[in-house]
C-alpha cells in the first residue's frame, strides 16, 4: 500500500475538494454572523501557513492561539498544523499568571490573538514570555491595544494579504506533533498534553462512527466546546472530514445567541459541557421559543445532571452522554445515539482504538472487570504517553491512569462513579461526592449540586453540599438531604447545605471544585 501519512491537514483538503460550498458560520455578536465555506477557508489557511513560514515558523515550532471559536481561529489551526508546526491553544478564562506559565513552558514566539483579548494578553506578556509577534484576529474590536514596544503587533488579515507563494501541507511524518493543550485543572495543576497528527487522525475516524458522534454531511453542528478545551473535542477535524456545516459561537455562550444560531443555521447537533445548555433551556422557558431542527445534544467533560437531561429531552432533543479527557484526545466513550432508555450517569462504550481497564488503587487489574468499581485506566493511539516536559512516560505497561473511578456493566457500558482526587476521607472511610451529587442533582428544584470535604477536628473531613436551585424553587435543606435516605450510607449525609446564587465555574465551564474547596473547605 501507499505510504500515506495520516495528517490532519487532509481533513480540510477533503472538505475543500468534496464539500467546497459547505459553510462555516461564526456568531459575531449583536445578532450577526459571518460566514465562509471550506474552499475559502482552506485558501485562507494556506495563506496563514505562508505568513507563518515567512516569519521563520517550520516543523516542530510552536505557535500559540488565545482566541474564541471563530473561522479565523480554525484557519489559524490548519495554517499552523499543515505546516508541521504545533498549535498551542490557550484558555482566555485562565489567570494571566497561569497563561504566562503555560507560554513559558511551550516557548511559542508567535501569538494569534482575538482582538478583544488584547488587555488580557498585555497582562500575560508583561510577565515575560518568548512571544515576539502578535497577530490579531480582528473581529472589528479594538479594545485595549497591546502596548509593548518590544513586540511586533499586526493583524492576521494584513499578514495573510502580504503572504506570497505556496506552502505544501503534510510534508512530514504522521507521528509529528500538531497540537498542545493543557488540562482544565479542575482538580489539580494543569498539565500539557501534546497531540500528534496520527493520534488526531485516528481519533477523528473513531469519533465519526454512527455509535459515537455519527456525523454526516447533512448535519449542522454547533460547537460550544471551546477550541482551547481538548481540541474542541475533535470537531474542527471531524466536521470538515464529512463536509458538515460548522457553526461557531465566537465568544458568545448566552442562551439567546445559542437559540438564534440554532434557528438561523438549522443546527441538528449541539456539543458542549452540560452547564452550557442550562442557559439555553432557561432562555427557551422564558421566551417560549422552540428549536425544531435540533435533534441531539452531545455532552461530556462532567457528569450530566438528571434534571437538566430531563429538561432537554422533554423538548424532543436527544441527550447523548460521553466521557473523555484532555489526555485522551479527548473522546473515551459515548452512549450510542440510538440507544434505548439509559441513565444520565452512563457514558457508553469505547469505540475501536481505545481500550479500558479497571484496576485497584495500586494499579493491578481487577479480576472482575464487569459490575465492580475500580480505577479507570486506558490505552490507545490517541492516549497521552508523557506530559509536556517530562522525560518519563506517565503510562504503566502501556496503560494510563485516568484518575477517575468507574464501573462497567455486563453490556460494556461505562459509568463514571467519581474522581479519585475528589473523594472525601471521613473517619478513615471514603465518601464519594459524585454519588451524592447525582442523587441531589436529580431533584427537579436543583440546578447544580456539588459536594466537597470540609476539614473536621474529629473525622478529618466531612461532606458539605453546595447547591444552586432553579429559579423560584423553595425546597428546604432537610428535604433536600432527605432525598439521600436509603440511597447512601447515613454517615455520607452532608453536615451542612450552602446555597449559592451562582455555582462557580472553572475555565472550561465545569463546576470549579478547587475554588469551592478554598472558599468553603475550612
Ligand atoms: P480536568 O481533569 O482538569 O477537568 P479535562 O477537561 O480533561 O480536565 O476533564 C477530564 C475529566 O472530566 C475526566 O477525568 C472526568 O473526571 C471528567 N468527566 C468527563 N466526562 C465525564 C462524565 N461523562 N461523567 C463524569 N465525569 C466526567
Amino acid at each position: 500500500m501507499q505510504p500515506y501519512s495520516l495528517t490532519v491537514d487532509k481533513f480540510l483538503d477533503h472538505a475543500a475538494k468534496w464539500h467546497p460550498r459547505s459553510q462555516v458560520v461564526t456568531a459575531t455578536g449583536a445578532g450577526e454572523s459571518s460566514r465562509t465555506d471550506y474552499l475559502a477557508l482552506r485558501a485562507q489557511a494556506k495563506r496563514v501557513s505562508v505568513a507563518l513560514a515567512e516569519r521563520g515558523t517550520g516543523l516542530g515550532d510552536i505557535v500559540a492561539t488565545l482566541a474564541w471559536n471563530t473561522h479565523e481561529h480554525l484557519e489559524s489551526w490548519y495554517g499552523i498544523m499543515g505546516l508541521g508546526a504545533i498549535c498551542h491553544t490557550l484558555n482566555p478564562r485562565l489567570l494571566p499568571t497561569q497563561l504566562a506559565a503555560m507560554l513559558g513552558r511551550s516557548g511559542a514566539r508567535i501569538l494569534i490573538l482575538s482582538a478583544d483579548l488584547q488587555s488580557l494578553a498585555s497582562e500575560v506578556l508583561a510577565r515575560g514570555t518568548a512571544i515576539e509577534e502578535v497577530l490579531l484576529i480582528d473581529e472589528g474590536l479594538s479594545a485595549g491595544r497591546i502596548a509593548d514596544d518590544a513586540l511586533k503587533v499586526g493583524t492576521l488579515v494584513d499578514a495573510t494579504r502580504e503572504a506570497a507563494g505556496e506552502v505544501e501541507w503534510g510534508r512530514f511524518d504522521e507521528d509529528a506533533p500538531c497540537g498542545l493543550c493543557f488540562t482544565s485543572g479542575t482538580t489539580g495543576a494543569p498539565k500539557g498534553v501534546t497531540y500528534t497528527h496520527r493520534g488526531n487522525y485516528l481519533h477523528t475516524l473513531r469519533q465519526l462512527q454512527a455509535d459515537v458522534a455519527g456525523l454526516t454531511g447533512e448535519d449542522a453542528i454547533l460547537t460550544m466546546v471551546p477550541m482551547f478545551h481538548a481540541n474542541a473535542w475533535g470537531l474542527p477535524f471531524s466536521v470538515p472530514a464529512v463536509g458538515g456545516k460548522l457553526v461557531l459561537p465566537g465568544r458568545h455562550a448566552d442562551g439567546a445567541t445559542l437559540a438564534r444560531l440554532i434557528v438561523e443555521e438549522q443546527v441538528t447537533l449541539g456539543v458542549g459541557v452540560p452547564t452550557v445548555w442550562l442557559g439555553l433551556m432557561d432562555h427557551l422557558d422564558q421566551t417560549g421559543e422552540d428549536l425544531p431542527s435540533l435533534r441531539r445534544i452531545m455532552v461530556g467533560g462532567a457528569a450530566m445532571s438528571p434534571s437538566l437531561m430531563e429538561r432537554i429531552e422533554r423538548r424532543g432533543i436527544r441527550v447523548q452522554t460521553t466521557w473523555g479527557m484532555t489526555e485522551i484526545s479527548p473522546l473515551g466513550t459515548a452512549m450510542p445515539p440510538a440507544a434505548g432508555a439509559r441513565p444520565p450517569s452512563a457514558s457508553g462504550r469505547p469505540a475501536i482504538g481505545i481500550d479500558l481497564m479497571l484496576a485497584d488503587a495500586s494499579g493491578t487489574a481487577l479480576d472482575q472487570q464487569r459490575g465492580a468499581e475500580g480505577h479507570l485506566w486506558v490505552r490507545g493511539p490517541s492516549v497521552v504517553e508523557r506530559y509536556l516536559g517530562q522525560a518519563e512516560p506517565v503510562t504503566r505497561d502501556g496503560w494510563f491512569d485516568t484518575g477517575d473511578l468507574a464501573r462497567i456493566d455486563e453490556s460494556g457500558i461505562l459509568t463514571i462513579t467519581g474522581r479519585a482526587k475528589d473523594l472525601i476521607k471521613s473517619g478513615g472511610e471514603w465518601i464519594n461526592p459524585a454519588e451524592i451529587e447525582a442523587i441531589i442533582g436529580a431533584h427537579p428544584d436543583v440546578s447544580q449540586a456539588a459536594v466537597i470535604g470540609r476539614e473536621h477536628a474529629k473525622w478529618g473531613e466531612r461532606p458539605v453540599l453546595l447547591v444552586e436551585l432553579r429559579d423560584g424553587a423553595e425546597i428546604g435543606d432537610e428535604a433536600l438531604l432527605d432525598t439521600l435516605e436509603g440511597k447512601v450510607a447515613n454517615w455520607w449525609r452532608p453536615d451542612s447545605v450552602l446555597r449559592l446564587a451562582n455555582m462557580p465555574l472553572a475555565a472550561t465551564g465545569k463546576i470549579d471544585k478547587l475554588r469551592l474547596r478554598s472558599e468553603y473547605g475550612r
Side-chain angles (χ1 to χ4, degrees):
M1 291 297 128
Q2 298 178 1
Y4 184 88
S5 253
L6 306 181
T7 59
V8 298
D9 44 276
K10 298 193 166 73
F11 298 130
L12 188 55
D13 282 349
H14 177 86
K17 187 169 179 182
W18 300 108
H19 305 269
R21 298 293 165 216
S22 270
Q23 302 219 314
V24 178
V25 181
T26 307
T28 50
E32 285 173 13
S33 303
S34 67
R35 61 189 70 233
T36 181
D37 59 31
Y38 286 123
L39 189 64
L41 198 141
R42 179 178 179 276
Q44 178 61 6
K46 281 271 177 176
R47 286 189 284 270
V48 172
S49 291
V50 175
L52 290 174
E54 283 172 350
R55 286 161 174 75
T57 306
L59 191 63
D61 289 331
I62 299 188
V63 177
T65 67
L66 181 61
W68 308 111
N69 285 14
T70 63
H71 69 81
E72 292 94 336
H73 195 182
L74 191 65
E75 287 153 4
S76 305
W77 269 38
Y78 278 97
I80 297 166
M81 296 182 197
L83 202 56
I86 303 165
C87 180
H88 174 191
T89 50
L90 292 161
N91 181 339
R93 299 201 181 93
L94 293 174
L95 298 173
T97 44
Q98 294 174 304
L99 293 170
M102 290 171 183
L103 275 174
R105 301 275 305 285
S106 79
R109 289 185 303 109
I110 296 177
L111 172 67
I112 295 177
L113 176 68
S114 273
D116 65 324
L117 293 170
Q118 287 176 78
S119 45
L120 170 63
S122 295
E123 287 186 57
V124 175
L125 300 177
R127 284 169 167 77
T129 67
I131 297 293
E132 293 162 3
E133 182 166 4
V134 175
L135 293 171
L136 295 170
I137 292 175
D138 188 359
E139 293 161 328
L141 296 159
S142 55
R145 277 201 68 83
I146 292 191
D148 184 338
D149 293 342
L151 272 180
K152 280 209 318 205
V153 181
T155 68
L156 199 56
V157 169
D158 286 341
T160 50
R161 194 184 300 121
E162 288 153 13
E166 262 287 317
V167 167
E168 231 185 300
W169 280 351
R171 305 277 293 168
F172 41 81
D173 193 83
E174 64 187 28
D175 282 319
C178 62
L180 169 64
C181 180
F182 282 77
T183 58
S184 324
T186 354
T187 54
K191 297 178 280 284
V193 177
T194 306
Y195 300 113
T196 62
H197 282 268
R198 175 185 150 84
N200 279 340
Y201 198 106
L202 295 174
H203 180 273
T204 302
L205 301 186
R206 185 156 67 248
Q207 184 176 43
L208 285 174
Q209 292 181 31
D211 276 346
V212 187
L215 304 183
T216 73
E218 302 305 310
D219 277 310
I221 296 113
L222 174 61
T223 304
M224 290 310 297
V225 52
M227 290 166 72
F228 48 78
H229 183 197
N231 275 341
W233 299 355
L235 293 163
F237 305 124
S238 52
V239 180
V242 291
K245 185 195 228 182
L246 186 59
V247 183
L248 302 169
R251 62 184 185 288
H252 310 282
D254 59 290
T257 304
L258 265 59
R260 173 179 74 79
L261 282 173
I262 293 168
V263 171
E264 285 180 6
E265 306 305 331
Q266 291 291 292
V267 167
T268 55
L269 170 67
V271 187
V273 295
T275 48
V276 165
W277 309 108
L278 271 172
L280 177 64
M281 291 302 124
D282 288 345
H283 173 83
L284 297 179
D285 287 350
Q286 280 154 19
T287 59
E289 279 171 48
D290 216 5
L291 305 173
S293 66
L294 188 61
R295 292 198 295 270
R296 179 163 46 113
I297 281 178
M298 205 171 160
V299 292
M304 182 63 188
S305 121
S307 61
L308 177 58
M309 180 144 156
E310 204 273 321
R311 282 177 82 187
I312 299 174
E313 295 214 320
R314 206 188 311 141
R315 294 181 170 275
I317 303 164
R318 176 85 176 181
V319 172
Q320 184 185 18
T321 49
T322 68
W323 164 80
M325 59 195 306
T326 306
E327 287 92 331
I328 63 176
S329 294
L331 191 75
T333 62
M335 189 57 89
R342 67 279 175 242
S345 55
S347 298
R349 290 188 193 84
I352 184 73
I354 188 146
D355 196 12
L356 312 180
M357 170 186 78
L358 294 177
D360 65 15
S362 71
T364 306
L366 298 185
D367 290 338
Q368 208 182 339
Q369 289 289 318
R370 294 289 184 270
E373 188 183 33
H375 292 250
L376 181 62
W377 292 63
V378 297
R379 67 177 173 192
S382 314
V383 173
V384 70
E385 172 138 81
R386 46 175 69 74
Y387 287 112
L388 178 71
Q390 282 187 354
E392 290 302 310
V394 278
T395 49
R396 207 201 286 176
D397 298 330
W399 291 92
F400 168 72
D401 180 4
T402 65
D404 286 334
L405 303 171
R407 185 175 283 125
I408 302 173
D409 74 12
E410 289 301 330
S411 64
I413 300 285
L414 175 88
T415 295
I416 297 294
T417 54
R419 275 183 120 165
K421 287 170 283 189
D422 271 357
L423 293 180
I424 298 167
K425 202 164 200 181
S426 178
E429 298 288 338
W430 294 108
I431 294 176
N432 185 354
E435 280 184 51
I436 305 174
E437 288 159 4
I439 298 165
I440 302 279
H443 195 284
D445 282 354
V446 173
S447 177
Q448 305 197 68
V451 173
I452 56 160
R454 176 185 275 169
E455 287 173 16
H456 192 282
K458 182 172 176 194
W459 302 110
E461 275 185 312
R462 286 296 301 152
V464 177
L465 170 67
L466 299 113
V467 278
E468 180 189 323
L469 294 184
R470 284 188 63 188
D471 284 348
E474 283 174 357
I475 188 165
D477 291 355
E478 290 306 310
L480 207 51
L481 293 176
D482 285 347
T483 58
L484 298 170
E485 220 37 60
K487 296 191 178 123
V488 296
N490 284 343
W491 57 274
W492 279 36
R493 187 181 169 106
D495 286 1
S496 53
V497 179
L498 297 173
R499 289 152 185 269
L500 306 182
N502 290 300
M503 187 65 77
L505 299 182
T508 44
K510 307 189 202 187
I511 294 177
D512 191 346
K513 287 228 165 159
L514 277 183
R515 187 160 146 208
L516 289 178
R517 276 192 209 114
S518 79
E519 285 183 25
Y520 306 104
R522 273 167 247 271

